[in-house]
Amino acid sequence: INSEGREINHGIFRDFPTTYTDGHGQRVIVGFDVLGVTRDGRAEPYVLESLSNGVRIKIGDKDVWLENAPHRYEISYRTTRQIGFFEKFDELYWNATGTGWTFPIDVAEARIALPEKVDFIQSAFYTGPQGAQGKDARVVEQRPGLIVFRTTRPLPDHQGLTVAAAWPKGIISPPTSGQLAGYWLEDNLPLILGGGGILALLGYFA
């Protein structure tokens, strides 16, 4: 990012959605853990704030003013439940940049690396506001186990890059039945608690 001492003074924030609605209208909660944040190669303080649909990482120190200059931020994190397991292939569909930025993006690049060197079956990319299907990007490198997407023009504020790539089944282990059961419980916990409360109330009146 380029800090000019106006809107960026102490740091930046990055929003990550962790609650989705799947194709069947069901609530889905993905795992999200921040492993670390650096600025210009050095560890940078951050705090996490809950959003209605996810998590905001607020990066920086309120007592430290950024030098008016370019700065490189790196956010390392681990997330789960992002792979789609289909009948004939598995796929990652990923909003690489997010669309919440109030600044334009000069260039965005997304790299998908698989644990094995296999050919990709298909790929796609989209640019623009959330839900848009613009084509201002291209695949700049593709070889077994690696595919790289890059935008072909700057993206205005609140626009981003989404990429998708599919590969043969068997490269990524699907969730076990126990994991699926745990996911279901997490996704439906509010309904379970609400139903339990109703049952308890009915039992009380009975």
Side-chain angles (χ1 to χ4, degrees):
I1 61 97
N2 186 41
S3 173
E4 298 178 347
R6 294 181 295 181
E7 295 188 59
I8 299 177
N9 294 311
H10 305 282
I12 62 172
F13 65 84
R14 174 77 157 94
D15 293 347
F16 288 89
T18 57
T19 302
Y20 298 89
T21 301
D22 65 16
H24 303 288
Q26 301 297 314
R27 179 171 176 259
V28 176
I29 301 175
V30 304
F32 180 76
D33 295 300
V34 178
L35 305 180
V37 177
T38 63
R39 175 171 61 87
D40 302 327
R42 296 181 295 275
E44 185 78 348
Y46 66 90
V47 295
L48 303 181
E49 288 186 354
S50 295
L51 303 175
S52 60
N53 68 329
V55 178
R56 169 171 292 176
I57 307 176
K58 295 185 68 174
I59 303 168
D61 188 329
K62 63 181 179 61
D63 297 321
V64 176
W65 288 78
L66 290 180
E67 177 188 0
N68 292 351
H71 296 278
R72 178 185 179 90
Y73 286 89
E74 182 174 333
I75 305 169
S76 300
Y77 60 91
R78 180 180 290 113
T79 182
T80 61
R81 304 183 70 182
Q82 302 289 355
I83 305 296
F85 296 93
F86 302 98
E87 182 179 355
K88 297 182 179 180
F89 60 85
D90 298 333
E91 182 183 53
L92 173 65
Y93 184 92
W94 187 252
N95 185 334
T97 62
T99 55
W101 297 105
T102 58
F103 303 96
I105 297 175
D106 291 337
V107 62
E109 183 177 288
R111 307 169 66 88
I112 299 175
L114 300 179
E116 295 184 25
K117 295 182 178 180
V118 297
D119 291 330
F120 289 91
I121 296 175
Q122 60 190 25
S123 64
F125 50 81
Y126 310 100
T127 58
Q130 185 173 353
Q133 297 189 350
K135 294 298 181 182
D136 295 310
R138 65 189 181 97
V139 175
V140 297
E141 181 181 357
Q142 183 173 345
R143 51 188 168 85
L146 176 70
I147 186 169
V148 183
F149 305 83
R150 187 181 300 149
T151 53
T152 55
R153 70 168 183 84
L155 302 176
D157 59 286
H158 296 289
Q159 294 194 19
L161 168 67
T162 296
V163 299
W167 53 85
K169 299 192 67 65
I171 306 304
I172 306 294
S173 299
T176 64
S177 57
Q179 287 175 316
L180 291 173
Y183 294 156
W184 185 90
L185 286 173
E186 184 178 11
D187 294 342
N188 294 279
L189 185 59
L191 294 176
I192 295 172
L193 293 176
I198 292 173
L199 290 175
L201 188 62
L202 291 174
Y204 170 78
F205 283 112

